[in-house]
Amino acid sequence: MKDRQVQKQFGKHAEKYVTSELHAKGADLYKLVSIAGLTGKEVVLDIATGGGHVANALAPQAKSVVALDLTTNMLEAAKGFLEGNGRTNVTFVQGNSESLPFESGTFDIVTCRIAAHHFPNVKNFVQEASRVLKQDGTFLFIDNVVPESVEFDQFYNEVEKQRDPSHFRAWKKSEWIGMMEEVGFEIHEWYRFEKTFKFDNWCERMGVEEDVQQAIAEQLLSSSSAHYEKFRIRTDEGKVVSFQGESVLVKAKKINL
C-alpha cells in the first residue's frame, strides 16, 4: 500500500524533482561528493535516486553507478537527465529500498539522499544498505531530520504529512545513528544543513490542492512563538513565506561485528 502511494505521488511529479533547485544543488550534495573519496574504481549504488542528482554527481568519479528507484516515471526522468549529461556508466534499476535486488557485498559505496522519510521500514533499509556493501564499504546518507523535542518532532511530521501523503516520518538524528550502529556501521563523519522551504514552491512541487495548502498555512501561522523561533517561520501580510528544517549527512563505514 505504501509503495503504491509513493509511486503515485512521485510518478506525477518526477520532472519537478529533476529540475528542483533544492534537490539539484545544495551544500549537502557538494559535501557528499567531497567526502566520498572516489578513486575511479568504485561501484556505487544510489538508493531512491529520485531525479538522479547524486548519481549524476558521482558518475564521473566512479567506475560505475546503479541508480535505483521504486517509481518507473522517476527512473525514466533520471535516465533522461543523466544521459543528457553524457553519463554512460550508470544503469537504472527499479526496486525497493527495504529489499534490495542485489547480492550481498556488491558495492563499494551506497548512497541515499533526501528520500528515507518515505520509507515505512527504515531499519530494513539500513540493514539492506549494510548487506549489499563490501566489508569496509562506505554508506553516505542524507535526509531531513527532526529535533529531539517530541513536540517539535510531531509538529514537523504533521506538516510534512499534510503536504505529502507519501511522507512516512522524518527521524531524529539520534535515531539514525542508533539504527546504523545496531547493524554494524561506524559513524565517521556527520554534518548538519539548514534547509529553507519557500512555502509556495514547497507546496507546488507536490501539487498540493489549494484547500490543503491553506490548512498547512493556517497550522504554521497559528503555531506558538517557540515554533516560530525553532522553525524560522517567516510571514508577510498574513501569508507564510518560508520556514526552516534541517538535514544531516552521515558518512559511515561497514565493519565486522
Side-chain angles (χ1 to χ4, degrees):
M1 175 64 182
K2 187 66 179 178
D3 286 356
R4 291 197 298 272
Q5 193 174 43
V6 171
Q7 289 170 324
K8 180 181 178 181
Q9 190 74 357
F10 284 89
K12 292 187 297 183
H13 306 290
E15 289 294 341
K16 295 178 183 177
Y17 276 80
V18 173
T19 58
S20 166
E21 282 282 310
L22 199 64
H23 294 77
K25 299 180 181 179
D28 64 327
L29 179 58
Y30 299 132
K31 190 67 176 180
L32 182 150
V33 174
S34 73
I35 67 174
L38 291 171
T39 66
K41 300 178 181 179
E42 293 82 8
V43 178
V44 178
L45 169 64
D46 184 34
I47 296 174
T49 196
H53 302 109
V54 173
N56 179 66
L58 294 181
Q61 303 176 37
K63 178 181 178 181
S64 62
V65 178
V66 176
L68 177 136
D69 205 275
L70 184 65
T71 306
T72 302
N73 288 1
M74 192 67 83
L75 278 175
E76 291 174 352
K79 189 172 188 287
F81 170 58
L82 271 79
E83 290 182 349
N85 287 338
R87 308 303 189 222
T88 59
N89 61 337
V90 181
T91 56
F92 300 87
V93 175
Q94 185 174 13
N96 190 313
S97 62
E98 297 162 4
S99 181
L100 296 171
F102 308 107
E103 293 184 3
S104 299
T106 299
F107 299 97
D108 300 288
I109 293 177
V110 170
T111 65
C112 183
R113 175 177 180 250
I114 318 178
H117 53 277
H118 296 286
F119 303 164
N121 298 299
V122 289
K123 288 188 176 181
N124 288 3
F125 154 64
V126 174
Q127 180 67 63
E128 281 290 273
S130 174
R131 181 185 67 78
V132 301
L133 270 171
K134 297 175 182 177
Q135 192 60 35
D136 298 319
T138 299
F139 184 33
L140 295 168
F141 171 81
I142 298 173
D143 201 22
N144 301 334
V145 292
V146 292
E148 297 295 310
S149 159
V150 173
E151 182 181 359
F152 291 153
D153 171 350
Q154 292 177 344
F155 178 81
Y156 179 84
N157 276 298
E158 286 172 3
V159 167
E160 277 282 14
K161 187 72 173 177
Q162 285 190 76
R163 174 239 185 188
D164 177 8
S166 70
H167 174 87
F168 186 79
R169 172 165 165 71
W171 297 83
K172 300 172 183 176
K173 296 180 283 292
S174 60
E175 290 172 323
W176 278 119
I177 291 171
M179 285 186 279
M180 290 181 192
E181 291 190 345
E182 282 176 9
V183 301
F185 282 117
E186 274 187 350
I187 309 302
H188 282 218
E189 303 175 43
W190 77 276
Y191 305 87
R192 175 185 180 272
F193 300 92
E194 295 179 350
K195 300 185 69 171
T196 299
F197 300 108
K198 296 180 180 178
F199 186 75
D200 289 345
N201 177 264
W202 177 74
C203 289
E204 190 274 335
R205 193 164 61 245
M206 274 287 101
V208 179
E209 298 290 341
E210 183 63 33
D211 59 333
V212 177
Q213 185 170 333
Q214 186 59 41
I216 299 170
E218 287 298 328
Q219 184 171 355
L220 290 167
L221 289 167
S222 63
S223 60
S224 70
S225 59
H227 288 82
Y228 266 76
E229 183 174 354
K230 179 60 182 176
F231 294 102
R232 315 297 198 273
I233 300 170
R234 299 290 178 260
T235 64
D236 182 30
E237 297 183 351
K239 293 184 178 181
V240 178
V241 176
S242 65
F243 68 99
Q244 185 174 288
E246 63 178 337
S247 65
V248 294
L249 161 59
V250 179
K251 180 177 182 178
K253 288 280 189 176
K254 178 179 176 178
I255 62 167
N256 282 316
L257 292 176

